Amino acid sequence: MDDCLFCKIIKGEIPSSKVYEDEKTYVFMDIAADVDGHMLVIPKEHCVNFLDASKEALHAVAETVQKVSKHLIDDCGYEGVNVFNCTNACAGQSVFHYHMHIVPRKGGDGLPPVPSYTGAKEEIKAVFERVKM
């Protein structure tokens, strides 16, 4: 897609700190500079988000997330990773090209293990009845 920031990064039109690349995926450092080692994994095929991605793109991204995460733990001295995705603006997606975040972790790094939520507003049973398939 011509106006997509991540597609421009893949094409080399915008510089990035490339961590890894293969035929179907591209991994680069997140420029937000919010957490040391924060990187993004994107499919080379443009798709807006997780829900829009083809099965092939989802599979390729998952394999790359696993490969890079293993490298971080096995070769780079990290002890774990947080892996997450934000789908749609209300969930925090700011670039509309599907991507997964990898945040390398070490014990005692001072980061919260998971996002901190303020508490559910509805009873679990009511939500369950609405979302079950």
Side-chain angles (χ1 to χ4, degrees), residues 47-64:
C47 39
V48 173
N49 59 37
F50 177 80
L51 302 174
D52 182 51
S54 68
K55 288 180 184 180
E56 293 78 17
L58 291 171
H59 182 83
V61 167
E63 282 189 338
T64 297

Side-chain angles (χ1 to χ4, degrees), residues 33 38 49 57 60 71 84 92 94 98 103 114 119 125 133:
H38 186 175
N49 59 37
H71 167 69
F84 63 94
S94 59
Y98 169 52
V103 176
V114 295
K125 185 171 176 130
M133 297 173 70

Side-chain angles (χ1 to χ4, degrees), residues 79-131:
E79 299 169 26
V81 294
N82 286 114
V83 175
F84 63 94
N85 167 262
C86 303
T87 295
N88 291 333
C90 67
Q93 185 177 5
S94 59
V95 177
F96 293 89
H97 181 122
Y98 169 52
H99 57 286
M100 294 293 295
H101 298 255
I102 300 175
V103 176
R105 301 295 305 270
K106 288 185 178 182
D109 61 15
L111 298 174
V114 295
S116 177
Y117 298 111
T118 58
K121 296 177 182 162
E122 297 181 62
E123 292 292 324
I124 291 173
K125 185 171 176 130
V127 175
F128 166 73
E129 292 299 328
R130 186 172 61 248
V131 301

Side-chain angles (χ1 to χ4, degrees), residues 21-92:
E21 180 178 17
D22 62 26
E23 286 183 21
K24 296 181 180 179
T25 62
Y26 192 94
V27 183
F28 58 101
M29 301 304 295
D30 190 322
I31 63 169
D34 53 357
V35 177
D36 292 335
H38 186 175
M39 57 191 75
L40 304 175
V41 179
I42 61 175
K44 289 184 175 178
E45 164 190 320
H46 180 80
C47 39
V48 173
N49 59 37
F50 177 80
L51 302 174
D52 182 51
S54 68
K55 288 180 184 180
E56 293 78 17
L58 291 171
H59 182 83
V61 167
E63 282 189 338
T64 297
V65 166
Q66 184 184 51
K67 179 181 282 191
V68 171
S69 296
K70 284 182 176 184
H71 167 69
L72 293 169
I73 293 166
D74 295 344
D75 305 322
C76 301
Y78 292 100
E79 299 169 26
V81 294
N82 286 114
V83 175
F84 63 94
N85 167 262
C86 303
T87 295
N88 291 333
C90 67

